[in-house]
């Protein structure tokens, strides 16, 4: 029986054509026409004025935080239920992550918890759009505006995700995206940074390229990084943007098939809540009883079906532990499973996955 992976990239469209153009012209590094073409196409797709590409989603976050001037003495409010890169990049600037809880229904950060965590040292709020569902951007944007806080959007998992018709990443002072191999559109590794301010965007572009002077060759007057994307990556990204609508439509159809087939079992699917477009980067389920999560994953593995557990809360990690109790984050993380979610998943594979989940609960409820 063939293994069904939790994810695999869809590499159709013009990828081979564009990559071969890079190879035949020799533009394979961080210069070349595809860089600007991809940045322009991405900005147009999400509705941003401009964008700058980077090597991966984690450095995108670090670059954005650095460009905003976040550093030692600052507090950044962040959900504990997130991928660790959200927290690591805050720590890398010298700032302090202040963990807050999430909402059970959407899995996103709780705006009331953000409000309660604001102190005189709070400099920014990081809204992380997890698994393809948006945060409540009305509430969070209002909080940041009322308290004069910077808003950072971590959209690593939010390509194609919208709040009231507006694409995530266009609400904040800065926003970042990831194009890792398991993302809806991928460049293998890669990321993108958006910024509301033209000055912040200019700083991002300088910082990502060793801080080189725009007027003097090989003159570097600020501490900076090499966070650039290659032309080959950008070529792949441009081809992915061209077929993005079909990829998103396919993922929504897969999510709907899971919802229908798993109805009535002691679990729930991660459905859209409110005026949102859920992009279903990952199709997720939460079992009612956390005790059944790991046995269910073991059962699926024995059926040659790969899954992923939800992220453990960051406040429980050894290097960034905090003495707080966040009941929703702790509960969600122990009950969640990411199911195979890639656009090429066939109906036969989906039926096999849902049949295996159903058989597990039938065996364990007798």
């Amino acid at each position: 029986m063939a293994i069904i992976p939790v994810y695999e990239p869809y590499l159709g469209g013009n990828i081979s054509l564009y990559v071969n153009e890079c190879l035949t012209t020799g533009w394979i590094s961080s210069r070349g026409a595809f860089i600007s073409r991809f940045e322009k196409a991405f900005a147009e797709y999400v509705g941003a004025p401009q964008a700058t590409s980077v090597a991966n989603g984690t450095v995108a976050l670090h670059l954005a935080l650095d460009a905003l001037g976040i550093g030692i003495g600052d507090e950044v409010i962040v959900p504990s239920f997130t991928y660790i890169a959200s927290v690591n990049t805050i720590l890398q600037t010298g700032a302090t992550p202040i963990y807050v809880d999430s909402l059970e229904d959407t899995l996103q950060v709780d705006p009331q918890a953000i409000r309660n965590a604001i102190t005189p040292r709070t400099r920014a709020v990081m809204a992380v759009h997890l698994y393809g569902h948006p945060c409540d951007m009305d509430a969070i944007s209002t909080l940041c505006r009322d308290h004069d806080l910077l808003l950072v959007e971590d959209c690593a998992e939010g390509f194609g995700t919208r709040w009231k018709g507006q694409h995530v990443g266009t609400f904040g002072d800065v926003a970042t995206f990831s194009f890792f191999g398991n993302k809806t559109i991928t460049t293998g590794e890669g990321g993108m940074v958006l910024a509301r301010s033209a000055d912040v965007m200019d700083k991002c572009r300088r910082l990502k390229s060793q801080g080189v002077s725009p007027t003097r060759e090989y003159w570097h007057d600020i501490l900076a990084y090499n966070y650039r994307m290659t032309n080959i990556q950008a070529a792949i990204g441009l081809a992915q943007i061209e077929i993005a609508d079909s990829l998103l439509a396919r993922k929504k159809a897969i999510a709907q098939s899971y919802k229908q087939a798993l109805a009535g079992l002691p679990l729930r699917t991660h459905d859209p809540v409110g005026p949102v477009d859920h992009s279903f980067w990952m199709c997720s389920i939460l079992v009612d009883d956390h005790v059944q999560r790991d046995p269910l994953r073991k059962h699926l593995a024995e059926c040659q079906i790969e899954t992923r557990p939800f992220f453990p809360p960051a406040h429980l990690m050894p290097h960034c532990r905090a003495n707080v109790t966040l009941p929703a984050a702790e509960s969600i993380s122990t009950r969640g499973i990411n199911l195979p979610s890639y656009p090429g998943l066939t109906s036969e594979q989906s039926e096999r996955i849902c049949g295996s989940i159903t058989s597990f609960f039938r065996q364990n409820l007798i």
Side-chain angles (χ1 to χ4, degrees), residues 105-355:
D105 57 351
T106 65
L107 312 184
Q108 311 308 306
V109 65
D110 183 349
Q112 185 58 50
I114 294 174
R115 181 186 298 277
N116 295 341
I118 295 171
T119 76
R121 294 179 298 279
T122 306
R123 182 83 187 284
V125 172
M126 185 181 291
V128 186
H129 306 288
L130 278 177
Y131 301 135
H133 195 291
C135 302
D136 182 340
M137 296 314 296
D138 284 355
I140 296 171
S141 297
T142 299
L143 274 173
C144 290
R145 184 171 57 251
D146 290 349
H147 293 271
D148 194 25
L149 301 176
L150 295 167
L151 175 54
V152 179
E153 290 184 80
D154 181 347
C155 310
E157 302 170 6
F159 178 78
T161 301
R162 290 177 170 81
W163 171 262
K164 294 185 175 179
Q166 183 175 339
H167 202 291
V168 297
T170 60
F171 296 87
D173 294 280
V174 293
T176 63
F177 290 79
S178 170
F179 307 131
F180 185 61
N182 63 9
K183 296 303 190 291
T184 301
I185 65 165
T186 181
T187 60
E189 284 277 7
M192 197 73 76
V193 180
L194 312 180
R196 177 179 297 159
S197 161
D199 289 341
V200 172
M201 180 59 77
D202 287 344
K203 189 168 185 182
C204 285
R205 291 193 172 108
R206 285 198 68 198
L207 285 170
K208 80 171 188 178
S209 192
Q210 301 287 21
V212 67
S213 167
T215 59
R216 184 175 176 183
E217 286 184 302
Y218 293 102
W219 186 256
H220 308 266
D221 54 9
I222 57 173
L223 178 64
Y225 321 99
N226 179 4
Y227 284 172
R228 295 169 297 196
M229 174 180 281
T230 69
N231 197 47
I232 289 180
Q233 289 175 302
I236 296 170
L238 179 62
Q240 293 270 284
I241 281 284
E242 292 171 350
I243 59 172
D245 287 345
S246 63
L247 297 178
L248 289 163
R250 178 61 190 144
K251 288 169 75 69
K252 289 182 181 180
I254 292 167
Q256 183 62 27
S257 70
Y258 279 137
K259 180 179 179 179
Q260 292 175 348
L262 299 176
L265 297 177
L267 57 80
R268 71 175 179 89
T269 49
H270 183 209
D271 301 326
V273 178
V276 307
D277 290 323
H278 190 334
S279 64
F280 296 101
W281 168 60
M282 282 286 175
C283 299
S284 305
I285 59 172
L286 292 91
V287 296
D288 293 348
D289 184 350
H290 72 92
V291 172
Q292 293 186 315
R293 198 274 298 273
D294 290 345
L296 173 56
R297 292 193 66 226
K298 182 175 183 292
H299 172 78
L300 291 172
E302 291 169 350
C303 296
Q304 302 294 294
I305 298 166
E306 186 181 23
T307 63
R308 291 181 9 162
F310 275 12
F311 303 128
H315 74 278
L316 301 180
M317 300 280 187
H319 74 288
C320 54
R321 183 178 293 272
N323 187 24
V324 294
T325 300
L326 302 174
E330 293 167 22
S331 173
I332 289 166
S333 70
T334 61
R335 294 186 290 117
I337 300 174
N338 299 135
L339 300 176
S341 307
Y342 53 95
L345 191 76
T346 66
S347 57
E348 292 78 13
Q349 289 173 319
S350 178
E351 290 170 6
R352 182 174 136 200
I353 295 163
C354 294

Side-chain angles (χ1 to χ4, degrees), residues 4-197:
I4 302 176
V6 71
Y7 211 92
E8 59 183 23
Y10 183 83
L11 301 176
N14 286 318
I15 286 180
S16 295
L17 176 66
Y18 292 167
V19 169
N20 282 330
E21 182 178 331
C22 295
L23 298 177
T24 56
T25 60
W27 292 102
I28 63 171
S29 193
S30 55
R31 291 186 180 182
F34 284 108
I35 300 284
S36 58
R37 289 176 64 186
F38 179 39
E39 290 171 343
K40 183 175 184 292
F42 186 87
E44 289 177 350
Y45 192 93
V46 302
Q50 53 185 330
T52 191
S53 56
V54 292
N56 59 63
T58 301
V59 302
L61 267 178
H62 183 245
L63 184 69
L65 294 171
D66 195 352
L68 289 176
I70 290 171
I72 295 171
D74 294 332
E75 292 180 349
V76 179
I77 297 172
V78 62
S80 183
F81 179 54
T82 183
Y83 182 55
I84 197 62
S86 308
V87 175
N88 281 346
T89 51
I90 295 170
L91 293 169
Q92 287 160 2
T93 68
T96 301
I98 302 299
Y99 301 116
V100 294
D101 213 349
S102 298
L103 298 168
E104 169 72 26
D105 57 351
T106 65
L107 312 184
Q108 311 308 306
V109 65
D110 183 349
Q112 185 58 50
I114 294 174
R115 181 186 298 277
N116 295 341
I118 295 171
T119 76
R121 294 179 298 279
T122 306
R123 182 83 187 284
V125 172
M126 185 181 291
V128 186
H129 306 288
L130 278 177
Y131 301 135
H133 195 291
C135 302
D136 182 340
M137 296 314 296
D138 284 355
I140 296 171
S141 297
T142 299
L143 274 173
C144 290
R145 184 171 57 251
D146 290 349
H147 293 271
D148 194 25
L149 301 176
L150 295 167
L151 175 54
V152 179
E153 290 184 80
D154 181 347
C155 310
E157 302 170 6
F159 178 78
T161 301
R162 290 177 170 81
W163 171 262
K164 294 185 175 179
Q166 183 175 339
H167 202 291
V168 297
T170 60
F171 296 87
D173 294 280
V174 293
T176 63
F177 290 79
S178 170
F179 307 131
F180 185 61
N182 63 9
K183 296 303 190 291
T184 301
I185 65 165
T186 181
T187 60
E189 284 277 7
M192 197 73 76
V193 180
L194 312 180
R196 177 179 297 159
S197 161

